[in-house]
Amino acid sequence: MAESRSMAYEDAILGLSGSLREDAVHELRRLFVECSDSKGWEVSCIIAWVLLGIIFSVACLRLGCFIASWYLRPPGADFDKVVVPDEEFAAIPPPPPPPRPPPRTVTTLSTAAAQTEPQVTVELERGAQRPLDLVCCVDSSVSVGEADLLKSVAFLRLMAAKLEMPAVQMGVIRFHHDFRVISAVTGDASALLRRLEGMGFEPGETKMASPLRHAGMMLRCGVQDACDSGRRKAVLVITDGDPNDLQEAEQEAEILKSQGVLLVFVQIGELVQPHVIRRLASPSAAGRKHIIELRSYDDLAGAVA
């Protein structure tokens, strides 16, 4: 009986010294129950106190080790991380460097090979006006009236200020059933403006054949170098009605156009029949006629670009 108890005590001590498992504690309880009815009660109590002392000592030892390791840890240390000694860390090879990007290939083109014809041309400032001989024929019929004739004169003065003379030369004819040359074709802007100041109103009916014929003569031999083939020629007619001599006017218009003279009409008001003026005006490159349509003589000033 004593030998079996001794072996049981040894087993309990081994269980406590190993891992303090619950089966060792349960074995102690069983031994206390068995020893309570035997004569070796004193011995059992001594062995129990020894075992409790061992348990308490092991627990205190582990708690002390934990507390010491906590207070003696280096700053910034983390118990969840694995600490590698310096010797082992030195033996770990460094990671390979990242691969270098492939070298860039730069292709240099010669200026002659890269240059192409420009697709868009931008004019940063206004260019010079082309040489031009211009004769303005101003309607002075009864339907126009003196007030509107003065607006036509103001329009001519404004247009003369916009023209680059002497590259552009200008003459003026006033017409009704007859005509009068107000200014011959000239490149002197001051002389042209002085002659416009003396231009007054003379009522009459609208006839265009004679003034168109005389305008052609002024363009042919009115000024020096007027027959130069490099100079363009144009006739500008300002009127508010259809010509009473339409057949003769149309013949003179065809002669001028056959000579390369550009015929431009400023059509004012509602008395003009558009199909009649279209028969007289020169066609444009877009297939339309060179006709400027205005509602009244008050719009003349805004027609100057």
Side-chain angles (χ1 to χ4, degrees):
M1 182 70 176
E3 183 179 357
S4 63
R5 289 178 181 174
S6 156
M7 294 178 63
Y9 288 146
E10 290 178 1
D11 292 336
I13 292 173
L14 289 175
L16 289 174
S17 61
S19 59
L20 301 179
R21 295 176 298 180
E22 293 181 0
D23 53 1
V25 176
H26 180 71
E27 186 68 19
L28 284 175
R29 289 177 181 175
R30 187 181 63 81
L31 291 174
F32 279 128
V33 173
E34 293 180 355
C35 293
S36 60
D37 298 331
S38 63
K39 296 180 180 180
W41 168 253
E42 294 83 1
V43 177
S44 300
C45 288
I46 293 172
I47 294 174
W49 280 109
V50 170
L51 292 176
L52 290 176
I54 293 173
I55 294 173
F56 184 74
S57 300
V58 172
C60 289
L61 178 62
R62 291 189 175 183
L63 179 62
C65 291
F66 176 77
I67 295 175
S69 63
W70 177 265
Y71 281 101
L72 297 178
R73 77 187 191 282
D78 192 352
F79 287 107
D80 296 334
K81 297 182 180 180
V82 178
V83 179
V84 181
D86 294 340
E87 295 78 4
E88 297 183 9
F89 182 79
I92 299 176
R100 294 184 178 181
R104 298 176 57 186
T105 303
V106 179
T107 304
T108 304
L109 299 178
S110 63
T111 305
Q115 186 175 2
T116 60
E117 291 294 329
Q119 301 299 320
V120 179
T121 302
V122 179
E123 187 178 87
L124 300 180
E125 61 182 10
R126 183 176 179 179
Q129 297 176 1
R130 297 178 59 182
L132 174 68
D133 295 332
L134 174 66
V135 176
C136 298
C137 299
V138 183
D139 189 359
S140 180
S141 59
V142 175
S143 60
V144 174
E146 183 177 3
D148 287 339
L149 178 70
L150 294 179
K151 294 175 183 177
S152 297
V153 175
F155 168 74
L156 294 178
R157 283 200 294 261
L158 183 60
M159 186 172 62
K162 295 286 186 179
L163 297 177
E164 296 178 1
M165 296 184 175
V168 178
Q169 300 178 355
M170 178 176 169
V172 179
I173 296 177
R174 181 192 61 198
F175 72 93
H176 38 75
H177 57 272
D178 197 2
F179 70 91
R180 177 186 174 187
V181 177
I182 303 299
S183 173
V185 178
T186 178
D188 188 347
S190 300
L192 176 63
L193 294 175
R194 286 194 303 269
R195 291 165 186 167
L196 287 175
E197 291 177 359
M199 180 175 173
F201 173 69
E202 289 186 4
E205 61 176 324
T206 305
K207 290 189 177 182
M208 294 184 186
S210 296
L212 289 178
R213 185 185 310 113
H214 196 78
M217 296 174 59
M218 292 171 62
L219 291 175
R220 285 194 296 270
C221 55
V223 293
Q224 184 179 3
D225 298 331
C227 297
D228 184 4
S229 59
R231 299 180 62 86
R232 300 190 65 183
K233 297 174 175 58
V235 174
L236 176 66
V237 181
I238 303 174
T239 183
D240 71 338
D242 299 329
N244 295 333
D245 56 345
L246 177 58
Q247 186 175 357
E248 293 82 0
E250 190 174 1
Q251 292 176 357
E252 296 298 333
E254 291 298 327
I255 293 173
L256 290 175
K257 287 185 282 188
S258 66
Q259 295 173 352
V261 178
L262 181 67
L263 272 177
V264 181
F265 281 79
V266 179
Q267 174 184 315
I268 303 175
E270 299 178 353
L271 298 178
V272 181
Q273 299 183 33
H275 69 277
V276 173
I277 299 300
R278 290 193 186 99
R279 293 165 60 180
L280 301 175
S282 297
S284 64
R288 303 175 63 182
K289 297 291 184 176
H290 284 86
I291 300 174
I292 302 173
E293 298 180 0
L294 303 177
R295 291 179 298 177
S296 67
Y297 278 87
D298 294 331
D299 299 331
L300 272 174
V304 180

